[in-house]
Amino acid sequence: MAPLRFSANVSWLFPELPSLPARLRAAGSSGFEAAEIGWPYGEPPEALARTAQEVGLQLVLINTPPGDREKGEMGLGAVPGRQAAFRDGLEQAVLYAKALGCPRIHLMAGRVPQGADRAAVRGEMDAVFLENLRHAAGVLAQGELYSRILPGARRTLWGCWSPSTPASRTPAAAILEKVGRPNLQLQMDIFHWQIMDGNLTGNIRKFLPLVGHVQVAQVPGRGEPGSPGELNFPYLFQLLEDEGYKGFVGCEYQPRGDTVEGLSWLRSYWDKRGRPQAGQ
């Protein structure tokens, strides 16, 4: 079994550094082979790509633009009336992904519109999301790009729409089946999945074949995997290895202190398992 491959989410890690290029350099000097960026759109893609190349990082994931954050938007994929804005944002994400050599884009579903009743708009949001996913899968296939959808967490993003119920990931899997495109996959954010459902062992074994990217953070504080909390990450990492997961594990957490010092959990993993060889 090959060791897991980890990517630094530089939108979260190294918050003491003011710019994304500086954070990419810090990730490279900390031993990461890959990085992901939530929203890279405040920096020219060429500058980010140049920095990543200089420090030997592969960029593996970006998000679609969030929309109007001043109005509370956090993604547009399932928001009624915002289909045109979602498609414009997708085009921007594709341009960045190509410039960065990044093969994956997280399609953010978004929040229930302010003032709307979740139950009343759920059917319309399902339909809008399905329409946008079909469009996105076609656009991304032209550039040989992969897309991810993340079942949202009601606790951390109040009002966030989710194509799932607290008891099951099946609705999200059903959406993938309806779209029917191999370049559309699930994003397994273990922090969110634990909060919404628990039963991580069963859910990982059942849904990992649909998963294209994993992200990790401790529950409940969203700190590093080595921080105190509910989750036994050595067990979960071994489970991912045993189940044959080959993708990246994104470090999307809030460092409790200095980011580099807080990476002791990752250094311990590397000491025990080694680092993936090129091509693994």
Side-chain angles (χ1 to χ4, degrees):
M1 294 174 292
L4 298 174
R5 301 182 296 169
F6 291 88
S7 58
N9 190 312
V10 295
S11 295
W12 291 72
L13 303 189
F14 310 103
E16 63 277 7
L17 299 176
S19 69
L20 291 176
R23 295 182 184 190
L24 289 171
R25 294 188 187 95
S29 64
S30 298
F32 283 98
E33 63 168 310
E36 52 196 72
I37 305 173
W39 296 304
Y41 308 107
E43 300 274 357
E46 296 80 9
L48 295 175
R50 182 170 55 251
T51 301
Q53 183 177 21
E54 289 172 354
V55 298
L57 286 174
Q58 177 185 359
L59 290 166
V60 298
L61 181 73
I62 62 173
N63 296 343
T64 49
D68 191 339
R69 298 188 69 179
E70 292 186 0
K71 295 182 178 180
E73 292 181 333
M74 189 65 73
L76 301 172
V79 182
R82 297 287 275 153
Q83 290 93 321
F86 170 79
R87 295 184 181 196
D88 289 344
L90 177 65
E91 294 296 333
Q92 184 182 23
V94 168
L95 289 175
Y96 265 74
K98 289 181 177 179
L100 297 173
C102 177
R104 303 168 189 86
I105 298 174
H106 171 202
L107 306 176
M108 299 189 68
R111 292 170 167 164
V112 174
Q114 292 180 355
D117 178 76
R118 176 186 293 272
V121 300
R122 183 175 184 87
E124 184 179 9
M125 294 189 76
D126 282 354
V128 169
F129 198 37
L130 186 59
E131 171 193 340
N132 280 334
L133 289 178
R134 285 173 172 153
H135 170 79
V139 170
L140 296 175
Q142 297 175 21
E144 298 183 352
L145 299 171
Y146 284 82
S147 52
R148 309 284 182 263
I149 63 172
L150 169 67
R154 296 178 182 87
R155 174 180 162 184
T156 54
L157 287 179
W158 178 249
C160 183
W161 178 86
S162 171
S164 63
T165 66
S168 176
R169 296 272 82 77
T170 304
I175 285 181
L176 297 186
E177 184 177 356
K178 287 180 180 179
V179 177
R181 299 295 293 266
N183 66 334
L184 180 63
Q185 301 170 316
L186 283 181
Q187 182 166 303
M188 179 194 293
D189 188 317
I190 287 178
F191 173 79
H192 290 312
W193 282 40
Q194 168 68 4
I195 288 173
M196 291 189 67
D197 196 8
N199 188 29
L200 287 176
T201 297
N203 281 331
I204 287 172
R205 286 175 174 163
K206 181 175 182 179
F207 294 102
L208 196 62
L210 302 177
V211 169
H213 192 72
V214 172
Q215 291 178 327
V216 294
Q218 185 57 274
V219 178
R222 205 164 191 174
E224 46 268 270
S227 61
E230 300 174 12
L231 300 181
N232 180 344
F233 276 101
Y235 168 81
L236 292 173
F237 292 154
Q238 186 63 56
L239 178 61
L240 290 171
E241 288 186 28
D242 291 345
E243 294 298 310
Y245 178 65
K246 302 298 184 185
F248 282 93
V249 177
C251 301
E252 187 183 89
Y253 58 78
Q254 297 171 336
R256 295 181 304 158
D258 180 80
T259 300
V260 175
E261 291 182 2
L263 289 171
S264 58
W265 65 271
L266 182 54
R267 291 189 289 270
S268 295
Y269 177 87
W270 283 334
D271 288 343
K272 178 182 178 182
R273 293 291 293 116
R275 303 193 189 200
Q277 299 300 312
Q280 286 185 331

